[in-house]
Amino acid sequence: MRDSTGNFSVLHRACKLVVLLCFFHISVTFIFYVRSLDFRFAFAKHDQTASKDTVPDAFETNHFSVDNVTTITKELGKCPDTSPLLVGPLRIEFSNPVSLDVVRKENPNLKNGGRFKPKDCVALQKVAIIIPFRNRDEHLKFWLYYLHPILQRQQLDYGVYVINQDGDEVFNRAKLLNVGFSEALKEYEYGCFVFSDVDLIPMDDRNTYRCFSQPRHLSVSMDKFGFRLPYNQYFGGVSSMSKEQFLKINGFPNNYWGWGGEDDDIFNRLNSKGMTISRPSGAVGKCRMIRHNRDGGNEDNPQRFDRIAHTKETMNKDGIKTLSYKVVKVEKDQLYTKITVDVGEKMARQTN
Ligand code: UDH
Ligand code: NGS
């Protein structure tokens, strides 16, 4: 009897020990499991933070997937108000001709159509640059040579649109600018439009080709005018307007055929809608014009004085709302989008 009781107590203790060992084993396993969970969570958290801060090297925002389910977006910060890449005054001269192949090689980051976006930050504005054009290829080469590097340093999301007037009809600068506005918007959600003559080159990259709270006149200090404004209301050469500012004045007039007055009409439109002109300082706004002879087909417009006297009455009837034209050809180059257009004839000017 005593023997069997003794055996039972040994067995009992052995069982207790086994249970204790099992409990210890489960506890240790549990602790390790919890710790490994912590570690995995922390690792995932770290990974996400790192992915937010890392600047992607691709043109567009990067995505990568985890388990094919979650998508984490790499976010770029906004570009600063003043680009850190600006260098200030520039030497601009036109003595040596420019080769477009060289300009293409020197601007490897341009996308087809003369498009660019900064790699390391999100540009503050999407800018379409519109150039009225006909038979000025040598000037266009200089413009592309000088402007592309400047615009890239200005950290803009931009595209260059050369609006080429087809045929031999009298030149119509303002209507070409309207066409540029309308065609550029079909391609991309531009919010800002810079209208630039092909023969004007800024002499300082701090003269940013972007939009401001008021319409901007950029070519304020031209060499041909002795680096000053020819008159206070002058709005010719290079100017910029947001989409809203442009639409508020019904765009530009379509009926100024030949040289002169269309820029004064634009000034009158802005003025009549209560807008003021914003300008850079005379030093920052310095620019050079490529000297040239008077173009054929761009004779002085004899009606210009009469027309600018009646801007207020005509501006709602003549502008972007009544624009009509035909696209003849679209050419995409690395350096620009060239759109050749039939803008109609001078005879049609009464209505358009
Ligand atoms: N343009 C062309 N081809 C032309 C005419 C004009 O491309 O045949 C474009 C070009 O972008 C030019 C802009 O339109 O820079 C303005 O041309 P403009 O001839 O009005 O102005 P610009 O200052 O010449 O180049 C002025 C000639 C002097 C006029 C004197 C009037 N009394
Ligand atoms: C004014 C013209 C503007 C022209 C400006 C500068 O007289 O269109 O001269 O011209 N206005 C009228 O003719 C009504 S420029 O010296 O650049 O050829 O922009």
Side-chain angles (χ1 to χ4, degrees):
M1 193 63 193
R2 251 185 40 218
D3 258 11
S4 72
T5 315
N7 279 348
F8 181 77
S9 101
V10 169
L11 192 65
H12 181 76
R13 259 186 259 151
C15 278
K16 254 183 162 176
L17 195 67
V18 168
V19 168
L20 268 174
L21 273 174
C22 280
F23 184 74
F24 178 71
H25 183 80
I26 288 168
S27 306
V28 169
T29 311
F30 183 72
I31 287 166
F32 272 92
Y33 175 69
V34 168
R35 280 182 142 207
S36 83
L37 265 188
D38 267 351
F39 179 71
R40 266 190 272 168
F41 185 63
F43 185 76
K45 243 171 105 176
H46 170 78
D47 214 8
Q48 280 185 39
T49 325
S51 74
K52 264 200 164 186
D53 292 341
T54 310
V55 169
D57 53 4
F59 191 60
E60 295 291 345
T61 313
N62 272 359
H63 292 89
F64 64 95
S65 69
V66 179
D67 299 338
N68 290 333
V69 180
T70 324
T71 306
I72 298 169
T73 308
K74 287 190 175 187
E75 282 170 19
L76 283 182
K78 274 188 186 173
C79 297
D81 266 346
T82 306
S83 165
L85 309 175
L86 301 179
V87 297
L90 308 165
R91 185 137 62 91
I92 306 293
E93 44 109 23
F94 309 112
S95 39
N96 301 316
V98 155
S99 136
L100 281 189
D101 276 336
V102 170
V103 183
R104 286 185 194 106
K105 283 201 187 97
E106 286 180 358
N107 293 278
N109 295 325
L110 293 179
K111 305 286 167 205
N112 199 31
R115 300 281 298 273
F116 174 83
K117 275 185 193 185
K119 265 187 194 166
D120 301 339
C121 56
V122 178
L124 298 180
Q125 296 193 2
K126 294 172 177 164
V127 185
I129 297 164
I130 317 287
I131 302 175
F133 186 86
R134 184 164 71 184
N135 292 333
R136 296 271 197 106
D137 292 289
E138 290 313 302
H139 293 184
L140 182 60
K141 286 182 198 172
F142 280 119
W143 192 95
L144 297 165
Y145 171 73
Y146 281 118
L147 263 298
H148 271 305
I150 294 175
L151 297 167
Q152 287 168 68
R153 288 202 298 278
Q154 293 181 347
Q155 297 188 310
L156 302 167
D157 174 356
Y158 73 87
V160 173
Y161 296 85
V162 178
I163 312 298
N164 180 36
Q165 182 169 333
D166 194 36
D168 302 323
E169 180 54 270
V170 180
F171 196 70
N172 191 329
R173 178 178 180 267
K175 187 167 184 180
L176 292 170
L177 298 179
N178 274 343
V179 172
F181 174 89
S182 150
E183 288 298 311
L185 272 181
K186 288 181 189 164
E187 236 182 37
Y188 193 49
E189 71 252 11
Y190 292 108
C192 173
F193 297 81
V194 171
F195 305 99
S196 174
D197 283 359
V198 73
D199 52 10
L200 282 171
I201 314 293
M203 296 172 71
D204 193 309
D205 62 7
R206 290 171 297 172
N207 192 3
T208 311
Y209 276 37
R210 68 169 176 96
C211 289
F212 293 78
S213 56
Q214 292 296 321
R216 182 94 159 168
H217 183 225
L218 294 124
S219 52
V220 297
S221 181
M222 281 159 66
D223 57 348
K224 76 162 173 177
F225 297 132
F227 295 111
R228 54 216 297 273
L229 281 176
Y231 52 96
N232 271 343
Q233 297 83 353
Y234 177 60
F235 199 63
V238 189
S239 59
S240 76
M241 260 173 238
S242 69
K243 187 179 168 189
E244 289 69 32
Q245 291 161 355
F246 183 90
L247 292 176
K248 203 169 170 186
I249 58 168
N250 188 21
F252 297 163
N254 297 301
N255 62 3
Y256 280 74
W257 298 87
W259 182 87
E262 83 295 342
D263 46 355
D264 303 306
D265 189 286
I266 296 166
F267 177 87
N268 290 345
R269 286 174 182 235
L270 296 169
N271 195 37
S272 80
K273 291 288 174 187
M275 289 186 262
T276 54
I277 306 299
S278 131
R279 289 190 165 110
S281 71
V284 166
K286 280 173 100 173
C287 54
R288 278 205 196 292
M289 195 194 84
I290 309 167
R291 299 274 163 182
H292 61 91
N293 296 327
R294 168 65 78 99
D295 302 281
N298 196 22
E299 291 73 33
D300 288 3
N301 173 7
Q303 296 166 324
R304 65 191 189 281
F305 299 107
D306 182 51
R307 290 202 182 281
I308 59 174
H310 296 99
T311 305
K312 255 191 172 168
E313 299 100 88
T314 55
M315 62 181 283
N316 291 327
K317 286 178 260 163
D318 175 33
I320 195 74
K321 284 191 278 191
T322 49
L323 173 68
S324 80
Y325 61 95
K326 277 194 205 95
V327 172
V328 174
K329 190 160 63 163
V330 178
E331 294 159 81
K332 291 271 183 192
D333 187 279
Q334 181 191 329
L335 301 173
Y336 55 79
T337 297
K338 186 174 187 179
I339 305 178
T340 300
V341 279
D342 175 356
V343 289
E345 294 175 6
K346 194 178 168 186
M347 287 307 288
R349 71 186 183 278
Q350 299 308 329
T351 52
N352 199 11

